[in-house]
Amino acid sequence: MTYQRFTLLAVFVFLGLSFVAQINYDSWRRYTPPKLIGIDYNVYIEPQPLSPSLAKAVSFGSTEFLADYYWLTLIQYYGGGTPNGKYRKLAELFNVVTDLSPRFVQAYQTGLIILPGEGFPDEAIALGEKGKKSLPDSWEMPYYTGLVYHIYKKDFVSAAKEFQIAATKKDAPPITQYFAGIYYKEADQRQLAYQIFKTVHETTKDDFVRERSGKQLLHLEMTFFLEDAVAKYRQQFGRYPASPQDLVTKKIIKEVPVSPLGVGFAIDTQTGAVSEAKR
Amino acid sequence: MKYKVLWAITLNTFRETLRDKLLYSLVGFAVLVIAASLLAGSVSLGQDARVIQDFSLTAMLVFLLIITYFIGTQLVFKEVERKTIYLVLSKPVSRETFYLGKFFGLCLTILVAGLIMAAMFLIVLYAKTHSVPVAAYFAVGAIILEAWLLTAVSLLFSSFTSPLSSAIYTFGVTLIGHGSATVWLLSQKASPVMRGILEGVYYLFPNLEKFNLRNDVVFNLSPDGTQVGLILLYFVGYTAFLLILGVAVFRKDEF
């Protein structure tokens, strides 16, 4: 074997060896239980972002570039899955990306959608608050923050407030204020909900939103009407009716109104509160 | 100063740098990196334009600065080492003309390299997004201005130190220049004495963040007339200061 051939062979052999070693190493660090490799958590596969202030300092002016780098890291991290069950660094990554690029709308939106589902609802809300400060004209920031309050916190009043803020922004979809009304209704703040639906109904240029808000108004008016009837019933009989039909039977009202939303009404026999019947 | 002689040295320096293989490899690599930003953009969840702009502009800056560090610091040194400077200075060529010719020659090289990189960047961006924000042209211009200013820095250092030291010092000045915002913030929190020192550093070292229009490109925020005017004024003022200082040092050099 000539020297040249031996060199060529050696190059390929050693390159192949490094390749095999790398594959095995990656597989070991990714799938071996953390305790066996002597750490409490498999930190090797997690990105280790710098703190936002340090990242800004070492970017030497290229903050958007560094934000992009962390954005790509974040996508790879989230898209690659985690054998540890939780994306511990997810919120940290969204934070550093949006600190480096405070006007990066897509990063806030993605964070507000992904973070709560991965167990970071509070971090998502904090991200939304940061987004509202950095992008004061964006309707998306309060809109998505409102969704987090609704879906993950069941805090309908906060959700409604966020949607009301979103509705004041330019380019906000016409349905935004309608949603604010829905959330106030969910939170049992019916008078507030009624006022919002009324404003929406009178001002919107969107046919669908006008039709829906009209139905909501009618539904709430029926609810108020039934509440008055329930109060009269109690005055007369000293107790609350068991159902809306009782109001008809005792001739308090002529008939039970039919909600345009296609839902029935129920009455709480303990408090007399009128609500939508469970379907 | 004879402008004909100055132009001859400028052109000669330009030709000399074009013969340097390092320049081709750097420009080639920069073009490759810019093209590769397409790949990075494709995995960015719909942020292609943003990634292409940020990666390409950063690559342009980094590679133009590398050209400045490695070619700019060699220019005068090579002439001295090969003793060709004697040939030039024995003719009716003043030291000022020689020094400024070297500076303008390298500026021309940087301009050409920058335009090649910019062309690649704009082609890639246009191919992907079918539009080019106006802010991108301003950012490219500011990057070239920054590289020109640092060329003056590297020439100044290379007139009294070795190329390696000169490259390291110029790199240091780049870091301080881009960290100027941090220096200013630190000065505002420091004790009165320290504040004076840090403010001195802030004003004495070149404030390269003034040339940083890269971060605004993704939002298509173009600078207004005042900002452009102040950037140009700062560039002219600081570069002239460096060149005058450099010429003064170079006049006293003994070869």
Side-chain angles (χ1 to χ4, degrees):
Chain A
M1 189 184 282
T2 62
Y3 178 71
Q4 281 89 346
R5 281 186 185 172
F6 176 75
T7 308
L8 196 66
L9 186 68
V11 164
F12 280 109
V13 166
F14 283 109
L15 187 67
L17 262 178
S18 74
F19 190 58
V20 170
Q22 190 163 303
I23 289 175
N24 279 289
Y25 181 83
D26 288 352
S27 158
W28 166 76
R29 77 176 192 187
R30 189 170 179 82
Y31 298 110
T32 308
K35 275 181 189 168
L36 293 182
I37 49 177
I39 48 171
D40 63 340
Y41 207 90
N42 199 342
V43 291
Y44 290 112
I45 62 156
E46 286 185 329
Q48 305 293 328
L50 298 172
S51 72
S53 52
L54 185 59
K56 268 185 206 167
V58 300
S59 73
F60 292 105
S62 293
T63 46
E64 293 294 332
F65 170 73
L66 203 56
D68 285 2
Y69 165 74
Y70 279 126
W71 173 247
L72 293 176
T73 306
L74 189 158
I75 293 166
Q76 299 306 313
Y77 174 49
Y78 190 60
T82 171
N84 300 316
K86 190 170 183 184
Y87 294 98
R88 294 193 317 170
K89 296 287 177 176
L90 206 57
E92 215 176 304
L93 279 166
F94 274 111
N95 194 35
V96 73
V97 168
T98 49
D99 261 32
L100 286 167
S101 179
R103 291 172 290 180
F104 193 171
V105 179
Q106 178 81 12
Y108 290 107
Q109 283 180 357
T110 312
L112 284 164
I113 291 166
I114 291 176
L115 282 175
E118 296 300 338
F120 300 104
D122 295 325
E123 287 81 354
I125 289 166
L127 189 70
E129 290 301 325
K130 185 162 62 165
K132 284 194 303 192
K133 278 184 197 147
S134 305
L135 299 157
D137 298 330
S138 159
W139 63 267
E140 290 98 334
M141 299 302 118
Y143 188 97
Y144 286 102
T145 310
L147 286 179
V148 178
Y149 274 120
H150 162 208
I151 300 169
Y152 297 95
K153 290 286 196 183
K154 301 292 173 206
D155 181 351
F156 296 112
V157 175
S158 297
K161 282 178 186 163
E162 295 294 335
F163 272 81
Q164 267 194 302
I165 296 170
T168 61
K169 308 292 177 190
K170 195 178 158 233
D171 298 330
I175 199 129
T176 311
Q177 201 171 8
Y178 173 80
F179 277 137
I182 293 279
Y183 288 131
Y184 277 125
K185 199 178 109 186
E186 284 291 327
D188 234 12
Q189 300 208 9
R190 290 175 186 165
Q191 286 298 338
L192 203 50
Y194 184 81
Q195 289 308 319
I196 288 174
F197 286 133
K198 199 160 180 273
T199 312
V200 174
H201 187 67
E202 286 166 3
T203 56
T204 186
K205 289 172 185 162
D206 186 288
D207 291 340
F208 173 76
V209 175
R210 189 182 306 110
E211 186 211 328
R212 292 299 300 176
S213 53
K215 285 182 177 175
Q216 289 286 357
L217 276 174
L218 210 57
H219 176 84
L220 282 173
E221 281 164 6
M222 288 172 182
T223 310
F224 299 147
F225 169 73
L226 286 175
E227 279 174 349
D228 287 345
V230 168
K232 277 183 196 164
Y233 185 100
R234 189 166 190 258
Q235 269 183 354
Q236 285 185 26
F237 303 102
R239 60 184 165 84
Y240 291 115
S243 70
Q245 202 53 45
D246 279 359
L247 296 167
V248 181
T249 315
K250 302 288 183 191
K251 294 196 171 31
I252 305 284
I253 57 176
K254 284 182 186 167
E255 58 183 1
V256 179
V258 181
S259 168
L261 299 177
V263 293
F265 292 100
I267 297 167
D268 188 322
T269 50
Q270 300 299 313
T271 62
V274 178
S275 60
E276 290 173 10
K278 285 179 184 162
R279 295 185 214 199
Chain B
M1 189 188 296
K2 290 175 183 167
Y3 293 104
K4 248 186 171 178
V5 179
L6 178 67
W7 176 241
I9 295 174
T10 300
L11 216 57
N12 198 50
T13 307
F14 177 60
R15 286 200 202 101
E16 186 190 336
T17 53
L18 287 189
R19 276 186 229 117
D20 202 327
K21 282 181 189 135
L22 184 67
L23 177 73
Y24 292 105
S25 55
L26 286 172
V27 173
F29 205 69
V31 166
L32 258 177
V33 171
I34 292 168
S37 68
L38 266 174
L39 288 176
S42 66
V43 292
S44 64
L45 215 65
Q47 298 300 302
D48 302 59
R50 181 190 163 88
V51 170
I52 290 169
Q53 286 163 2
D54 289 340
F55 275 54
S56 301
L57 289 169
T58 306
M60 269 189 73
L61 176 71
V62 168
F63 283 101
L64 284 181
L65 293 190
I66 293 175
I67 290 173
T68 306
Y69 300 152
F70 289 99
I71 300 180
T73 53
Q74 297 267 355
L75 282 178
V76 178
F77 180 79
K78 266 187 191 170
E79 298 272 0
V80 175
E81 200 183 42
R82 290 179 194 156
K83 311 218 183 296
T84 45
I85 196 164
Y86 298 120
L87 285 173
V88 181
L89 295 182
S90 62
K91 302 215 158 105
V93 175
S94 65
R95 288 194 177 201
E96 292 91 332
T97 314
F98 179 80
Y99 188 88
L100 292 179
K102 287 284 166 197
F103 170 73
F104 287 122
L106 187 56
C107 284
L108 196 58
T109 309
I110 285 169
L111 178 68
V112 171
L115 290 179
I116 293 171
M117 293 176 199
M120 184 64 190
F121 159 54
L122 297 176
I123 289 169
V124 168
L125 185 61
Y126 189 80
K128 192 70 196 174
T129 62
H130 301 293
S131 69
V132 175
V134 181
Y137 298 106
F138 284 104
V140 167
I143 287 172
I144 292 173
L145 284 183
E146 180 178 338
W148 283 351
L149 190 147
L150 284 167
T151 301
V153 174
S154 70
L155 264 184
L156 170 66
F157 285 132
S158 69
S159 61
F160 62 85
T161 60
S162 69
L164 182 64
S165 312
S166 175
I168 292 169
Y169 297 155
T170 312
F171 179 63
V173 169
T174 313
L175 293 187
I176 296 172
H178 276 295
S180 52
T182 314
V183 173
W184 180 257
L185 279 177
L186 283 175
S187 74
Q188 300 308 300
K189 291 176 185 170
S191 61
V193 178
M194 202 59 200
R195 184 177 176 157
I197 294 169
L198 287 171
E199 281 186 1
V201 168
Y202 178 80
Y203 286 111
L204 188 66
F205 280 85
N207 187 335
L208 300 176
E209 276 302 285
K210 297 220 177 339
F211 302 101
N212 185 0
L213 304 178
R214 304 185 301 282
N215 293 336
D216 293 335
V217 177
V218 285
F219 308 106
N220 197 11
L221 296 171
S222 299
D224 58 16
T226 315
Q227 193 182 353
V228 173
L230 287 173
I231 289 172
L232 285 174
L233 184 68
Y234 185 76
F235 168 75
V236 171
Y238 204 91
T239 310
F241 152 72
L242 289 169
L243 289 175
I244 293 165
L245 196 66
V247 166
V249 175
F250 189 63
R251 277 166 70 110
K252 297 210 165 183
D253 272 355
E254 284 181 15
F255 309 115

